[in-house]
């Protein structure tokens, strides 16, 4: 069975057939699934989905591009949700300087990233990190926050193999999804080559990031075998080993998910 560590089944792109897609996942070999919040609204939707599907767990948090929805009141609400059954991580949280180039907004991103990291640490929840075009600031904030004491995953990893090794040394995992199958994925292929399988997690980021040969279409967790095949090819091991080891990794990190 595949452990899917990053999906957004609350997304409007699943509005027409969400029930059907979700119902098929366990019989297609995918379970459990972590559905990841990226705003206050999507966190509420994620919690509702987790209440309906036994194999689906919730990550709660606000994405750097959604921080306009955060204030003391919504942050306090977020904090209250950490104790709920089926909440297994804080995320996705982090920095995104690709979409937000304005320095004042980037400053606010750093502020709310630090607050959410501190909350995760206080509540002993692993973190799901989103970081784009902000490699140095992300690493600096995580070191300042002693994030090695929290543990988590750098989701949809897009930086250098060297930095990946630094995260691995801090006890972190590297999230690998459809991008690894793309023709221009040379940097990520090198990262997968150079870090131990014991620090890789499988993810889709669906409905986005569909792997080849479905690149550009709506993604869902049933496409993860393409990612598994590519990782197996890169590392020269069997797809079964990739599936089994990454599943163990995910259970180790997301320890609130029952086996
Ligand atoms: Ni995501």
């Amino acid at each position: 069975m595949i452990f899917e560590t990053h999906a957004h089944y609350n997304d409007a792109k699943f509005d027409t057939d969400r029930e059907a897609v979700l119902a098929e996942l366990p019989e297609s070999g995918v379970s459990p699934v972590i559905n990841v919040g990226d705003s206050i609204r999507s966190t509420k939707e994620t919690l509702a989905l987790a209440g309906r599907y036994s194999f689906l767990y919730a990550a709660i948090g606000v994405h750097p591009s959604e921080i306009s929805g955060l204030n003391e009141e919504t942050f306090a609400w977020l904090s209250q949700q950490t104790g709920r059954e089926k909440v297994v991580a804080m995320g996705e949280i982090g920095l995104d300087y690709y979409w937000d180039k304005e320095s004042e907004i980037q400053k606010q991103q750093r502020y709310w990233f630090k607050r959410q990291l501190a909350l995760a640490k206080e509540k002993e929840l692993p973190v799901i990190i989103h970081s784009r075009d902000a490699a140095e600031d992300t690493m600096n904030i995580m070191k300042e926050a002693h994030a090695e004491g929290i543990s988590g995953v750098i989701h949809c990893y897009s930086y250098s193999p060297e930095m990946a090794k630094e995260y691995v040394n801090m006890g972190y995992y590297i999230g690998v999804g459809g991008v690894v199958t793309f023709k221009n994925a040379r940097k990520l292929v090198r990262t997968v080559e150079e870090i131990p399988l014991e620090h890789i997690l499988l993810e889709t980021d669906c409905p986005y990031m569909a792997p080849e040969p479905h690149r550009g279409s709506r993604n869902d967790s049933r496409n993860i075998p393409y990612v598994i095949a590519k990782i197996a090819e890169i590392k020269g091991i069997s797809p079964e080993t990739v599936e089994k080891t990454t599943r163990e990794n995910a259970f180790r990190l997301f320890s609130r998910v029952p086996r």
Side-chain angles (χ1 to χ4, degrees), residues 81-95:
Q81 308 313 307
T82 56
R84 278 177 68 154
E85 207 197 335
K86 300 201 85 179
V87 170
V88 299
M90 283 223 62
E92 48 190 294
I93 62 174
L95 301 175

Side-chain angles (χ1 to χ4, degrees), residues 6-8 36-38 63 92 128 130 155-156 203-206 208:
H6 196 117
H8 301 284
V36 182
D38 54 17
H63 182 287
E92 48 190 294
I128 297 173
H130 169 104
H155 132 75
C156 200
E203 62 174 41
T204 54
D205 206 16
C206 67
Y208 307 102

Side-chain angles (χ1 to χ4, degrees), residues 6 20 25 29 44 46 56 99 104 110 120 129 139-140 153 161 172 191-192 198 206 208 229-230 238 241:
H6 196 117
L25 293 185
K44 287 180 182 161
T46 295
L56 191 145
W99 290 111
E104 182 54 34
R110 289 191 291 275
I129 304 288
M139 181 60 90
N140 288 341
V153 54
Y172 274 70
T191 299
V192 168
E198 286 68 25
C206 67
Y208 307 102
K230 186 66 188 184
S238 71
T241 304

Side-chain angles (χ1 to χ4, degrees), residues 153-154 157 164 167-168 172-176 188 191 195 199-201:
V153 54
I154 314 299
Y157 187 77
Y167 278 118
V168 166
Y172 274 70
Y173 295 80
I174 302 298
V176 179
L188 182 57
T191 299
I195 61 170
H199 280 269
I200 292 176
L201 295 183

Side-chain angles (χ1 to χ4, degrees), residues 5-25:
T5 64
H6 196 117
H8 301 284
Y9 283 109
N10 57 289
D11 192 282
K13 291 197 170 65
F14 290 107
D15 278 355
T16 54
D17 60 351
R18 180 175 297 107
E19 306 271 308
V21 174
L22 281 170
E24 266 186 43
L25 293 185

Side-chain angles (χ1 to χ4, degrees), residues 46-113:
T46 295
L47 290 167
L49 277 180
R52 283 219 299 281
Y53 295 89
S54 59
F55 61 89
L56 191 145
Y57 293 84
I60 63 169
V62 177
H63 182 287
S65 300
E66 300 284 345
I67 48 158
S68 60
L70 272 174
N71 51 49
E72 289 309 322
E73 197 185 325
T74 51
F75 187 78
W77 176 83
L78 205 57
S79 171
Q80 283 159 16
Q81 308 313 307
T82 56
R84 278 177 68 154
E85 207 197 335
K86 300 201 85 179
V87 170
V88 299
M90 283 223 62
E92 48 190 294
I93 62 174
L95 301 175
D96 194 321
Y97 295 174
Y98 178 85
W99 290 111
D100 293 311
K101 308 234 185 273
E102 212 181 299
S103 72
E104 182 54 34
I105 293 179
Q106 293 183 354
K107 195 172 136 195
Q108 287 167 22
Q109 284 191 6
R110 289 191 291 275
Y111 174 78
W112 285 112
F113 181 31

